[in-house]
Amino acid sequence: MSAALAGRTAEVLLSPKNEDEVVRIAAACAKHRVPLVARGGGTGNFGQAVPLAGGAVVEMLGLDRIVWQKPGAVRAQAGIRLGFLDQELQKNGREMRMHPSTRKLATLGGFVGGGHAGVGTVNWGILRDRGNVLGLKIISIEETPRVLELRGDDVNLVHHAYGVNGLVTEVELPLAPAYEWLDAFERAAEFGMALATQDGILKKLVSVHAWPIPGFFKPLEKFLPTGKAAALLMIGAETREAFEALVGDFSGTVSYCVPEAGLYEYTWGHTTMHALRADRSLTYLVCIFPREDTLGAIKRVHSRLGAEAFLHLEFKRFNGYMTAEGVPLFHYQGFEQMTRLYRAFEAEGVRIANAHTFLLQNGGMKDLDAAQIDFKRAVDPHLLMNPGKVAGLDDLPGGLSGAALEAAQLPASGWAY
Amino acid sequence: MSAALAGRTAEVLLSPKNEDEVVRIAAACAKHRVPLVARGGGTGNFGQAVPLAGGAVVEMLGLDRIVWQKPGAVRAQAGIRLGFLDQELQKNGREMRMHPSTRKLATLGGFVGGGHAGVGTVNWGILRDRGNVLGLKIISIEETPRVLELRGDDVNLVHHAYGVNGLVTEVELPLAPAYEWLDAFERAAEFGMALATQDGILKKLVSVHAWPIPGFFKPLEKFLPTGKAAALLMIGAETREAFEALVGDFSGTVSYCVPEAGLYEYTWGHTTMHALRADRSLTYLVCIFPREDTLGAIKRVHSRLGAEAFLHLEFKRFNGYMTAEGVPLFHYQGFEQMTRLYRAFEAEGVRIANAHTFLLQNGGMKDLDAAQIDFKRAVDPHLLMNPGKVAGLDDLPGGLSGAALEAAQLPASGWAY
C-alpha cells in the first residue's frame, strides 16, 4: 500500500473552528470542485486519510466541544480527542463503551469514521452493532450544504466509510459505567477465553500475545519473562478476588497489577506499532477466528503457522458470541507469501480482512451496497470527499499498478463492519 | 412435594434485630440441640425454608441495614428487602446486577441462600459465577459461635445451600449501572435470541411466552393479543431506537412501552405464580436449553411438546454463552407423565432440574462435594440447620414415602449452580 500512497499530499490544509466554518468549507469545495479529506488525530493505518487526489485536508481538531452529557449518553463534536472526552466522562462515573488503543490522540469523528472496535469490545461488541453509535450529524458537500442528523441504523451509512460521504461534525454515543480498571499480565489463549466468558468478572480488555511479541514491548521489559506468552488485561477492581481465583485455576501468576497504566497502548492496533519500532521488516494480517471451536482454531493456527506468523489476540464480542480477533505479525517476503498465509489461515476457518489496501470495498469489512452508494451520491454529488477510496465510483486517473495493485488484490474473506 | 411438607411447622419463631442476637440464637440452638431454619421473605418455592424437623424458624427481616455502599459494590445485612435495597442504590445511579422476580418481598440473604439467577442474568450470568457475590458473613451453629467471612470462591459454599451451613448475616454484592428501564411486549423466541445477542443494546430482561401463558397475566390483558406469543422485555431508554430497528427487522410491533412498570413480575418464577392463580392444576419443569443450536432445540421442543407443555423462556448468559432457561407449564397428571416429559425434553438436549423435591442434591443444581459437606459439618457440627434437606447426612426419621418419594426421585440432569 505504501507504494500507492507515496507522494500523495494535499494542496491546502483547512482547520475549521466550528460548524459554520465546516459548512462554508463544504460549500466552497462543492462550488470550486475541490476534493477534500477529513482528518482527525491521524492515527488510522489503512491509508484512510491520505488525500489521493490532492485538494484540501480538513483537520477537524477545532471542533472539540462536548455538546451535552447525560448519565447514559454523550454528544460531542467530531474533533474532540477521545482521551480528553473519556476523562471528562469519568468525572461523572461514566466512560465510552469502547475506545481504540490510540485513545490519547484519536478523535471521536476519526474513530467512528475509520475505526471498528477496541478496548471495551469484549463487553459491548463492535461499533457497528445497533446501539453503539446513537446519532451523527453530517454536512453534505453541495453548494448549499445540508445539515443531516442520522439516527438508528442510518448511522452505519457513515460509520467506517472513510469519510467519503459527508463531513461528520457531531457524534452521539451511549456510555458505560466507569470502574477502576486494573492492568495485569498472564499467559495463554485458554486463559484469555476463560476470562472473556466469565460473565461475572468485570473486564475491559483481554489481550493475549505469543512470544516474541512481548519482547517488542520495551517499556514493559522488566515485567515480561523472556520467551513466554503474555496476557494484557484490564480488570475491574471490584472483582479482583474473582479474577485471582481464575488465575489460580490456571496456575498462573500476576506479574504486574496496578491501577490503570495505559496497558491498552500495547494492544489492538498499537501492538503493530511497537513491533514496527523494533523491526521494520514486520507486517501483519487482520483476522477473526470462527465462532465455533474458537480455541481449537487458535491452537491449530498457532501450531501450524506460529513459527512464521506470531499470534496476538484481542477477545471480542461479535454477533452476540465471544470470539477473538488476531493480528499476526510476520517478516514480509512479498505477495506470494502473503497470499499463502491468507489461504492457510482461511483453511482453519479464520476470516481475513485486507488491511493492505485503501480501497473501502477491498478491505472486506464494509458492505458497500446500493443504499451506501446512493447515500454517498446524495451528500457528495460532485464526488469530492476522500476521492479514490471507493472502487468503481471515483477511481483516480491512472489507477493502481505494481505493488499497490497487488496489495489491493490480496484475498479478503473479511467480516462486515 | 406438597405431600411431604404438609404439617411441617416450627415450634418457635425468633426475630433477631441485630447480629448479636443472631449469635445468641446460634449459641442457644447449639446448646439445646434445637433445629433451626433461616427465613427471609418466604418467596422460595422449592420447599427450602419449610422446617422439616420442627424447632425454630429464624426470621431475618430485622437485619435490614445497608452496611456500606461504594460506586462498585454494596454490603448489606441479610434481611434487607431487595426492592428497598435497589431503590437506595438507584439514588446513586447503581443497582443490583440481578434480582429475582420477587424483588419486592425477597431478602438479600434469601436470594443468595436459595436463589440462582434473575432479571439481569441476560447480562451478568448467574449468582454462582465468579464476581457476582463478593463476600458473605455467616454465624456457625456452635455453643461458642464463630463469625466467618467468606470471600472469593468460598462464597459458593453457602450460596444456594438452603441455609444448611451457617446463618448469613451480611452479603457483599457488586453493582451494575442503573439505566432507565423500559418495559415492552413483542413476540417469538427468534426475536428473543436476536435481542439477547445484540451486544450494543441495553437490556435487563428478555422473556418470551407461548400462548396460552400470556392469557394467565390478567392485569396485562388489554395489551396482550389473544392467541399470540408475547415477549416481556426491559430495554435501556438510551438504546431505544436501536431496539426499535430490531423490532422492525422482525416486522414486530411494540404494544406497550413505558418506564419501568414491574413487568418482570410476570417472568422467571412469577410466571408460575400467575399461571397457578389462573389454574391450580398446572405444574412445571425447570429446564435449560443447550448451548449448541439453542434456537433449534427450542423450536423442536415447542413443535413436539408445545400442545401439552406451554413454553416460556428467559434468556440468560450461562458459562459465557447466551442460552435460555425455560419453565414449561402443563396440567399435572402424575409421576408417569412427568417422567415422560422429562425424558422427551432431555432427548432434545435440554437439561432438567427437579424442582419438585426439597432435597438439595436431588434438585440436580448443586454439586454437594466433600468440601461442601466438610464445611456444613464445621459450621453446624450438631446438624441443626434446616435439617432433612441434605440426603444421606441428616435424613429425618421415617424418611420419604408415597408422592414425596416419587417427587424426590424424578429424574434430574440439571446444571450446577
Side-chain angles (χ1 to χ4, degrees):
Chain A
M1 185 165 65
S2 310
L5 299 177
R8 306 280 192 169
T9 52
E11 285 134 336
V12 59
L13 174 69
L14 303 171
S15 300
K17 292 282 167 283
N18 53 50
E19 194 174 297
D20 280 349
E21 294 185 9
V22 176
V23 172
R24 285 168 53 203
I25 288 169
C29 284
K31 186 172 176 192
H32 302 289
R33 304 293 196 266
V34 177
L36 68 161
V37 178
R39 183 180 176 88
T43 60
N45 50 13
F46 291 9
Q48 298 102 313
V50 175
L52 295 179
V57 159
V58 186
E59 188 205 59
M60 300 296 287
L61 297 172
L63 280 80
D64 61 357
R65 278 190 316 107
I66 292 175
V67 181
W68 52 252
Q69 201 186 140
K70 293 191 293 191
V74 67
R75 189 174 177 98
Q77 290 186 305
I80 196 168
R81 304 267 192 195
L82 297 178
F84 172 74
L85 174 60
D86 236 6
Q87 221 168 34
E88 291 299 303
L89 295 170
Q90 282 162 351
K91 290 178 186 167
N92 299 316
R94 300 282 163 154
E95 60 188 27
M96 294 174 64
R97 284 185 175 180
M98 67 193 77
H99 64 75
S101 63
T102 51
R103 179 167 71 168
K104 281 182 200 156
L105 291 180
T107 64
L108 180 56
F111 183 41
V112 170
H116 101 282
V119 179
T121 285
V122 70
N123 297 316
W124 295 101
I126 65 180
L127 270 179
R128 72 106 160 93
D129 287 337
R130 279 172 170 155
N132 280 339
V133 179
L134 300 177
L136 289 169
K137 188 195 270 189
I138 65 163
I139 311 295
S140 71
I141 309 302
E142 299 172 286
E143 292 179 32
T144 308
R146 287 170 293 151
V147 179
L148 301 175
E149 174 76 12
L150 304 182
R151 303 197 67 83
D153 286 356
D154 288 345
V155 299
N156 281 337
L157 290 167
V158 168
H159 164 48
H160 199 81
Y162 291 9
V164 301
N165 52 15
L167 283 166
V168 176
T169 56
E170 291 182 9
V171 179
E172 192 177 317
L173 291 180
L175 299 178
Y179 293 97
E180 183 193 351
W181 295 108
L182 303 174
D183 284 358
F185 295 127
E186 225 272 336
R187 65 190 185 104
E190 280 184 17
F191 173 77
M193 180 58 98
L195 175 60
T197 54
Q198 285 271 321
D199 296 315
I201 298 179
L202 294 166
K203 55 209 165 294
K204 193 171 180 182
L205 174 67
V206 180
S207 172
V208 177
H209 302 256
W211 189 263
I213 296 176
F216 301 143
F217 303 155
K218 295 304 169 201
L220 303 178
E221 208 164 20
K222 60 181 167 178
F223 304 113
L224 295 172
T226 304
K228 294 208 169 179
L232 280 61
L233 315 165
M234 292 172 75
I235 302 297
E238 286 88 349
T239 56
R240 181 176 179 159
E241 287 160 307
F243 163 71
E244 287 170 348
L246 182 70
V247 173
D249 279 359
F250 281 79
S251 309
T253 52
V254 177
S255 23
Y256 182 54
C257 185
V258 291
E260 189 163 347
L263 213 52
Y264 63 79
E265 288 180 337
Y266 298 86
T267 67
W268 290 92
H270 260 67
T271 308
T272 309
M273 194 197 76
H274 289 283
L276 287 173
R277 270 192 197 161
D279 184 343
R280 293 295 304 172
S281 78
L282 290 165
T283 187
Y284 60 99
L285 297 178
V286 176
C287 62
I288 189 161
F289 286 88
R291 163 179 163 171
E292 307 296 338
D293 192 23
T294 312
L295 270 180
I298 291 169
K299 289 176 185 173
R300 288 193 304 276
V301 164
H302 183 61
S303 134
R304 292 176 196 172
L305 302 164
E308 180 177 6
F310 317 136
L311 277 187
H312 76 101
L313 307 170
E314 274 79 37
F315 286 87
K316 69 192 286 193
R317 283 202 187 282
F318 192 65
N319 294 337
Y321 284 80
M322 190 60 69
T323 182
E325 178 164 332
V327 183
L329 301 165
F330 51 93
H331 292 99
Y332 179 69
Q333 294 165 14
F335 184 71
E336 278 172 35
Q337 174 214 28
M338 292 191 76
T339 310
R340 174 174 54 76
L341 281 175
Y342 275 59
R343 297 293 177 216
F345 273 75
E346 287 181 338
E348 303 298 345
V350 177
R351 281 177 293 163
I352 308 283
N354 182 2
H356 302 282
T357 178
F358 50 75
L359 292 174
L360 197 43
Q361 298 105 316
N362 292 30
M365 294 172 170
K366 183 78 177 178
D367 189 20
L368 270 192
D369 59 11
Q372 295 268 348
I373 299 290
D374 286 352
F375 184 74
K376 158 83 173 162
R377 286 192 182 281
V379 297
D380 180 27
H382 312 299
L383 301 179
L384 299 174
M385 293 202 76
N386 209 350
K389 304 294 198 305
V390 181
L393 182 70
D394 60 356
D395 300 295
L396 298 185
L400 298 177
S401 60
L405 183 61
E406 280 186 349
Q409 292 173 340
L410 282 167
S413 39
W415 64 88
Y417 276 167
Chain B
M1 185 164 66
S2 309
L5 298 178
R8 306 280 191 169
T9 53
E11 286 136 335
V12 59
L13 174 69
L14 303 171
S15 300
K17 292 281 166 287
N18 54 49
E19 195 175 294
D20 281 349
E21 293 186 9
V22 175
V23 172
R24 285 168 52 204
I25 287 170
C29 284
K31 187 170 174 193
H32 302 290
R33 303 292 194 269
V34 177
L36 68 162
V37 177
R39 185 180 175 89
T43 58
N45 51 12
F46 290 10
Q48 298 103 313
V50 175
L52 296 179
V57 158
V58 185
E59 189 206 61
M60 301 295 289
L61 297 172
L63 280 80
D64 61 357
R65 278 191 314 111
I66 292 176
V67 180
W68 52 252
Q69 203 187 137
K70 292 191 294 192
V74 67
R75 190 174 177 100
Q77 290 186 307
I80 196 168
R81 304 268 193 195
L82 297 178
F84 173 74
L85 174 60
D86 237 6
Q87 220 168 34
E88 290 299 304
L89 294 170
Q90 283 162 350
K91 290 178 187 167
N92 298 316
R94 301 282 163 153
E95 60 188 29
M96 292 174 66
R97 284 186 175 179
M98 66 194 77
H99 65 75
S101 63
T102 52
R103 179 166 72 168
K104 280 182 201 155
L105 291 180
T107 63
L108 180 55
F111 182 41
V112 171
H116 102 281
V119 179
T121 285
V122 72
N123 297 316
W124 294 101
I126 64 180
L127 269 180
R128 71 105 160 95
D129 287 337
R130 279 172 169 154
N132 280 340
V133 179
L134 301 176
L136 289 168
K137 189 196 269 190
I138 65 162
I139 311 295
S140 70
I141 310 303
E142 299 172 286
E143 291 179 34
T144 308
R146 286 170 294 152
V147 180
L148 302 174
E149 175 74 15
L150 304 181
R151 302 196 69 82
D153 287 355
D154 288 345
V155 300
N156 281 338
L157 291 166
V158 168
H159 164 50
H160 201 80
Y162 291 10
V164 301
N165 52 15
L167 284 165
V168 177
T169 56
E170 291 182 7
V171 179
E172 192 176 318
L173 291 180
L175 300 179
Y179 293 97
E180 184 193 351
W181 295 108
L182 301 174
D183 284 358
F185 296 127
E186 225 274 334
R187 67 192 182 102
E190 277 183 20
F191 173 77
M193 180 59 97
L195 175 59
T197 55
Q198 285 272 322
D199 297 315
I201 298 180
L202 293 167
K203 54 209 164 297
K204 193 171 179 181
L205 174 68
V206 180
S207 172
V208 177
H209 302 256
W211 189 263
I213 296 177
F216 301 144
F217 303 154
K218 295 302 168 203
L220 302 178
E221 210 164 20
K222 62 180 167 180
F223 305 112
L224 296 173
T226 303
K228 293 210 170 179
L232 281 60
L233 314 165
M234 292 171 74
I235 302 298
E238 285 88 349
T239 56
R240 181 175 178 158
E241 287 161 308
F243 163 71
E244 287 169 349
L246 183 70
V247 172
D249 279 358
F250 281 79
S251 308
T253 52
V254 177
S255 22
Y256 182 54
C257 184
V258 291
E260 188 164 348
L263 212 54
Y264 64 79
E265 288 181 337
Y266 297 87
T267 67
W268 290 93
H270 260 67
T271 309
T272 309
M273 195 197 76
H274 289 283
L276 287 173
R277 269 192 197 161
D279 185 342
R280 292 295 304 173
S281 78
L282 290 165
T283 186
Y284 60 100
L285 296 178
V286 177
C287 62
I288 188 160
F289 286 88
R291 163 180 163 171
E292 308 295 338
D293 192 23
T294 312
L295 269 180
I298 291 170
K299 289 176 184 174
R300 289 194 303 275
V301 164
H302 183 61
S303 135
R304 291 177 195 171
L305 302 164
E308 180 177 7
F310 317 136
L311 276 188
H312 74 101
L313 307 169
E314 274 79 36
F315 285 86
K316 68 192 286 191
R317 282 202 186 281
F318 192 66
N319 294 337
Y321 284 79
M322 190 60 71
T323 181
E325 178 164 330
V327 182
L329 301 165
F330 52 93
H331 292 99
Y332 179 68
Q333 295 166 13
F335 184 73
E336 277 172 34
Q337 175 214 28
M338 291 191 77
T339 310
R340 173 174 56 76
L341 282 174
Y342 274 59
R343 297 293 178 215
F345 273 74
E346 286 181 337
E348 303 298 345
V350 177
R351 281 176 294 162
I352 308 282
N354 181 2
H356 302 283
T357 178
F358 49 75
L359 292 175
L360 197 42
Q361 297 105 317
N362 292 30
M365 295 173 170
K366 183 78 177 178
D367 189 20
L368 270 192
D369 59 10
Q372 296 269 349
I373 299 290
D374 287 352
F375 185 74
K376 158 83 172 160
R377 286 192 181 281
V379 298
D380 181 25
H382 311 301
L383 302 180
L384 300 174
M385 293 201 76
N386 210 350
K389 302 295 198 305
V390 182
L393 182 72
D394 61 356
D395 299 294
L396 298 184
L400 300 177
S401 61
L405 183 61
E406 280 186 349
Q409 291 173 340
L410 282 167
S413 41
W415 64 87
Y417 275 168

